[in-house]
Each structure stands twice: as C-alpha cells, then as structure tokens.
Amino acid sequence: MGIQLTDYEQDMLSGKNGPGVQLAMTIVVRMAEVLQAPELLAVSQAHIDGCGLMSDSGLEFAEKMAGLGARVSVPTTLNMIPLDLQNWRKQGVPEEFGLKATRMAQAYIDMGCIPTWTCAPYQGYLAPAYGQQIAWGESNAIVYANSVFGARTNRYADYMDICAAITGRVPKHGLHLKENRKGQVLIRLVDIDPVLFTEDTFYPVFGYLLGQLVQDKIPVVVGLEAQINSDQFKAMGAAAASSGAVALIHIVGLTPEAPTQEEAFQGAEPEEIIELHMIDLLAAREELSIAPTHGGKLDAVVLGCPHFSYMEFQTLLKHIRQANKPLPEGVRLIILTNQLSMALLERGGMLDEITGFGAELIIDSCVFHSPIVGSGAKVIMTNSGKCAYYAPGELNTQVVFGDMEDCIRSAMLGEITRKEDAWKSA
Ligand code: F3S
C-alpha cells in the first residue's frame, strides 16, 4: 500500500530540506509502510530515549545525522544519558566510554534537542496537553504522557524517536488514533482497604502486577478511588511498562479519557475482566524481592528510578531528620535525579543536608546504563518497582523492595528491615 504524502512531506523525502531531513524522512516513511499506515501525522513535541550510548552504531547514527545538518523541527527533550556529565571522571567511568557518551550527548544538542537528560521529563519541562500528538521514547514517560495528560504517543523506539523529531511526522497508527485508545482489559480492585491507596508503596506494586497481567493491552482500572499524585503515578507507570509493555492506563474517575467505565471502553465490552484482591497484591509485592526481606546485610539503596522529584527529596528529608545522624559507612544511598530537581533542591536549601547525610546524588543518569552501583554491591534495596524488576538481571545483585522509609531505616542499620503495617492493615 502506498503512503499518501503531502507536498511538504514529499519535499522532505526528496531531499529539498537537506540530506539529514531526507534520511530521517526515509526512515519514517519506511516505518509507515511496515505498519501499513495510510499516511503520516504531524507531531508537535518529542522526547528522545536514543541519546543513551548503547552501542557504537548509535553514536555513528547520531553524529551522522548531526553532521548532515539534521535539526529537530519540534520541541524535543532528552532522556538520561549513561553518565553524570559533571562528575563522571570522579565516579570512575572509563575514559573511552565517557568520551563516547559525551560525544553522543553533544550530537543530540547539536541537533537542537533540549538537554533535560531525564527519564521524568513530564515533571518539569514541556508537559504535553490533552490530545496533543507527540513522539516520545522511554517507556515510563510514554505511560505518563498517554495516561495522565491524555497526550497521544506510541512507544517509540531508539532512533525512530529522533527521526520523528526531525521530520515532525510519525506513521498515522496505534495510540495516535482515538479508536485505538479504548480500554481492553477491565481490572477490578476488590475489597482493598482504601488506606493502602494513600501509601506510596502501593503504586509500584500495583503497576508491576498490572503489567504482568495485561502485557501490551490497555487496562481500565475500577475501584482505585484515590487522589494519585504525580510521583505515585510515575512509580506505577514505570513498573507497568517494565513487567509488561503497557503504554496507556485508564483509571475510571481519574484519568482524562476515563470519566466513566463506559467512556474508557468507548462503549465496547471488555475483552477480559480480572478481579484483584489483597492476596494478589501481597504476592506481587513479595515477587519484587529476591533477597530475604528481614535481617540480611545491605550494600546499597537505590532511589530515583524514574528520576527523583523535588517532592520526593522533601519526603526523603523527613526520613533523614528522623535518623538524626549520618549514614553509617558500608552502605551507599544512591539517588538518581536530574538538573531541575537539583536546582530546586539547592534553591530550597535542602542540598547540603542531603549530601551531608551521605547520599550520593547522580545527575542525568541511571544505574542501568552507567557503572554506578559497581560489582561490590551484592544486595540492594529500592522503593522502585522498575528498579526491583531489572536489578537482578541488569546489575547482577539481589534486591529487596520496600518503601522509602524502609530503605532509609535499613541503610541506617546496615541490614534489611521492612515494616509490614500498611499491607497488614489493608
Ligand atoms: Fe530512569 Fe533508568 Fe529508571 S532511565 S526509569 S532511572 S531505569
């Protein structure tokens, strides 16, 4: 099937706008052919995940595009990169890798992208509007954009994301179209004490379970009657997009495309109905830990997956003040964050207290793309469902999942401890 192109799109394809744009357009059109999309669709914003150095070919591609004069045509933010740009030498990142990652970062800046370097772009810069057509990479950000803002994006892969940003075009396909955004699986939360919904720790667990159950389908959740804040939704979406390939979650009464169950399904019947009880959530929570949840030695705590927000730093400060003394030697507290949170932290007067406690703040980066944790760590603890899901395979560590308070108390003790009250009372 031929793709219907406008004159402007045809010009891009024929090279009238330069060889960089032509190459990007060739890739977008080829993708549209593969997807059997009838035409292309204009997007007005992009978020690039492909800026992390995954391979030499990724660097070659970025430098080639930048060298051909390709520039983004829509506002485009950048995901994390595999090093803390300010501190990578101090952190022991190998010189050759560090230089390549820095070149990669520069190539994306040269193409006109905004150096946000964060996997939580929605918490600080250029949040998209309801119904806005966008092209985002980074799975947790995609869920957030689709579900919370009601913006429209597919799960864009590395390199397709920058081609969309350069051309301002994507195949007219998938979640860009209203009819493909209707719910598929009804998830009913049954007999769950609403107190649990007020706990941060509920959201990564529920997200992890949701992803496992629905995989790449669109869930419609009923029975989750709570005011979910931005950090809670971030944690839930990140976990759901890790254990599954979730890109959009409707929560009836809460998310913009789900004022009612009927509207979330666009009048159709659910393909499947799943009831979730407390026992299912408890089992999911246990699955997120592969080391004993009480008593074992702890090497490091990892927070900020996705990147830590200012509000999360405020919560952390409460726990630090409760601890009332610095972190003991032998346990690391690693916090992944971005420049925006750092600037606010400094401005809010909290930075010295947090670093004085002994926290290591890693800016712009991620433990899964940079040798931050190191081979010395055998057991880590995290409050992130996404981090707990990936750590055993990617970091080769044992992992325990707990809430932020559990993480700090365990770090102070040097051994794992976890309170169970929020889950027991529910
Ligand atoms: Fe962000 Fe890395 Fe977690 S990119 S979401 S900190 S896995």
Side-chain angles (χ1 to χ4, degrees):
M1 186 174 65
I3 312 289
Q4 203 70 41
L5 297 180
T6 64
D7 291 347
Y8 174 60
E9 291 161 354
Q10 198 62 60
D11 285 350
M12 285 196 268
L13 190 61
S14 66
K16 277 201 184 143
N17 299 21
V21 175
Q22 183 180 29
L23 178 54
M25 194 58 169
T26 307
I27 293 167
V28 171
V29 169
R30 180 70 192 116
M31 189 59 82
E33 284 165 359
V34 170
L35 295 169
Q36 300 190 327
E39 55 191 350
L40 305 181
L41 188 94
V43 288
S44 53
Q45 205 193 104
H47 179 70
I48 307 299
D49 190 30
C51 52
L53 180 67
M54 303 296 281
S55 63
D56 282 357
S57 55
L59 173 60
E60 191 184 336
F61 177 75
E63 289 190 330
K64 181 179 174 97
M65 279 296 198
L68 288 174
R71 298 291 178 264
V72 295
S73 64
V74 295
T76 301
T77 47
L78 292 169
N79 213 46
M80 65 84 219
I81 39 175
L83 42 72
D84 177 333
L85 274 175
Q86 286 170 10
N87 302 303
W88 63 271
R89 282 198 170 90
K90 268 191 281 173
Q91 290 162 356
V93 174
E95 188 74 10
E96 190 189 349
F97 178 81
L99 290 175
K100 280 185 183 171
T102 310
R103 272 170 52 197
M104 182 89 159
Q106 190 57 52
Y108 279 93
I109 291 176
D110 291 346
M111 284 189 270
C113 302
I114 306 163
T116 43
W117 311 130
T118 184
C119 50
Y122 45 85
Q123 284 190 314
Y125 199 72
L126 278 183
Y130 179 81
Q132 188 174 349
Q133 299 287 2
I134 61 175
W136 276 26
E138 170 52 46
S139 62
N140 96 82
I142 292 160
V143 181
Y144 200 99
N146 275 319
S147 313
V148 178
F149 297 128
R152 297 185 181 186
T153 179
N154 287 321
R155 285 167 55 103
Y156 283 102
D158 289 2
Y159 318 128
M160 179 61 195
D161 48 16
I162 187 66
C163 292
I166 291 165
T167 58
R169 294 293 186 276
V170 292
K172 191 174 183 181
H173 177 80
L175 293 175
H176 289 289
L177 305 173
K178 182 168 188 273
E179 61 269 28
N180 296 332
R181 298 175 66 85
K182 67 170 179 273
Q184 293 166 297
V185 182
L186 178 62
I187 302 284
R188 263 198 209 118
L189 288 166
V190 182
D191 297 336
I192 309 238
D193 185 339
V195 171
L196 191 58
F197 301 152
T198 65
E199 299 280 340
D200 291 344
T201 187
F202 167 78
Y203 294 91
V205 172
F206 179 55
Y208 165 71
L209 183 55
L210 204 55
Q212 258 189 345
L213 292 169
V214 307
Q215 290 298 312
D216 61 352
K217 300 228 163 129
I218 301 172
V220 176
V221 180
V222 292
L224 179 43
E225 279 152 28
Q227 291 296 318
I228 306 179
N229 68 38
S230 171
D231 291 318
Q232 291 168 338
F233 213 110
K234 173 174 75 171
M236 176 170 67
S242 303
S243 58
V246 174
L248 168 60
I249 301 169
H250 295 304
I251 300 178
V252 172
L254 201 68
T255 55
E257 289 166 84
T260 64
Q261 183 178 317
E262 196 189 8
E263 283 171 272
F265 282 102
Q266 296 183 21
E269 288 299 313
E271 292 171 18
E272 194 184 350
I273 299 174
I274 299 174
E275 287 198 346
L276 291 183
H277 298 261
M278 197 57 210
I279 193 170
D280 304 306
L281 290 164
L282 285 168
R285 181 182 180 237
E286 290 317 304
E287 277 178 32
L288 284 170
S289 299
I290 60 163
T293 55
H294 292 278
K297 184 180 175 300
L298 177 65
D299 298 308
V301 164
V302 176
L303 305 177
C305 172
H307 280 174
F308 228 45
S309 68
Y310 183 76
M311 297 308 295
E312 289 173 305
F313 275 117
Q314 280 196 325
T315 307
L316 174 70
L317 201 55
K318 270 198 289 182
H319 299 310
I320 285 178
R321 285 179 179 160
Q322 263 163 16
N324 204 26
K325 55 182 176 191
L327 202 61
E329 281 200 12
V331 185
R332 296 172 66 196
L333 170 57
I334 297 166
I335 305 175
L336 310 166
T337 191
N338 53 44
Q339 278 288 5
L340 180 64
S341 294
M342 283 296 286
L344 293 173
L345 206 54
E346 205 158 7
R347 198 180 256 192
M350 299 197 294
L351 184 58
D352 289 349
E353 210 173 334
I354 286 170
T355 53
F357 176 69
E360 297 171 44
L361 300 183
I362 307 293
I363 310 158
D364 306 325
S365 197
C366 166
V367 287
F368 297 111
H369 295 85
S370 187
I372 296 162
V373 170
S375 55
K378 301 283 177 260
V379 181
I380 66 163
M381 193 167 185
T382 182
N383 67 343
S384 158
K386 179 169 182 173
C387 182
Y389 181 81
Y390 284 122
E394 299 278 327
L395 300 178
N396 198 24
T397 60
Q398 301 264 298
V399 68
V400 175
F401 172 82
D403 68 12
M404 201 192 300
E405 187 182 352
D406 295 330
C407 289
I408 301 305
R409 280 180 56 226
S410 300
M412 293 306 291
L413 285 170
E415 69 173 41
I416 290 155
T417 179
R418 205 172 69 160
K419 61 187 175 330
E420 306 294 333
D421 14 329
W423 295 89
K424 278 201 178 130
S425 71

